[in-house]
Amino acid sequence: MSDCIFCRIASGEIPSKKVYEDEDIFAFHDINPQAPVHFMVIPKQHIASLNEADMSHQAVLGKLMAKLGELARSQGLTDGFRTIINTGRVGRQEVYHLHIHILGGPEPLGRMMPRE
Ligand code: 5GP
Ligand code: ZN
């Protein structure tokens, strides 16, 4: 049994609001949504973050990216969306299983980064 929460979600051991699943990837709604629609797409294979990704992960990373538009549209995001990947301490990553956030809603989101 994995001690990684997203590995356990991808295997179905921990329940989630599933958006999509195939043999390589899993998509599910964020438990603490930051926009009217907020879900995440992850590789089933455990990759801790983009810092651990390398060319051996090329196929699954490409698949994740190539699926995002279709998955976003399936959740009603027909007029665009935002993708976020937080990496490591400086990126304020909380869960160390690589995930792509997809956020959107009927109205445009706030600025990507607050201006200070
Ligand atoms: P990070 O900050 O690592 O990019 O984002 C982790 C995200 O995972 C957060 O937005 C958080 O709300 C979400 N999250 C943490 N634990 C769970 C969980 O058990 N289930 C779901 N669906 N989302 C989770
Ligand atoms: Zn994992």
Side-chain angles (χ1 to χ4, degrees), residues 1-9 11 13-14 44 46 96-97:
M1 192 176 77
S2 172
D3 59 4
C4 168
I5 189 166
F6 283 4
C7 280
R8 294 171 72 178
I9 286 174
S11 72
E13 190 187 321
I14 293 178
K44 285 191 168 175
H46 182 86
Y96 278 79
H97 180 130

Side-chain angles (χ1 to χ4, degrees), residues 39 41 63-81 83 102:
F39 64 97
V41 190
K63 185 169 180 177
L64 285 170
M65 292 291 282
K67 272 279 178 189
L68 293 181
E70 174 193 327
L71 296 180
R73 288 190 298 277
S74 83
Q75 298 305 302
L77 303 179
T78 54
D79 200 16
F81 56 91
T83 46
I102 293 91

Side-chain angles (χ1 to χ4, degrees), residues 5-6 9 14 16 28-32 38 40 86 92-95 99 101:
I5 189 166
F6 283 4
I9 286 174
I14 293 178
S16 67
F28 59 106
H29 287 277
D30 197 293
I31 204 166
N32 183 22
H38 181 183
M40 296 178 277
N86 295 319
R92 294 234 188 158
Q93 185 175 0
E94 289 172 6
V95 176
H99 50 281
H101 295 267

Side-chain angles (χ1 to χ4, degrees), residues 18-63:
K18 183 162 91 176
V19 168
Y20 175 80
E21 176 177 16
D22 65 27
E23 64 276 24
D24 302 311
I25 70 181
F26 193 92
F28 59 106
H29 287 277
D30 197 293
I31 204 166
N32 183 22
Q34 302 298 310
V37 176
H38 181 183
F39 64 97
M40 296 178 277
V41 190
I42 67 174
K44 285 191 168 175
Q45 175 189 4
H46 182 86
I47 306 168
S49 82
L50 281 183
N51 270 332
E52 284 73 30
D54 60 32
M55 291 310 292
S56 74
H57 305 114
Q58 185 176 16
V60 72
L61 293 179
K63 185 169 180 177

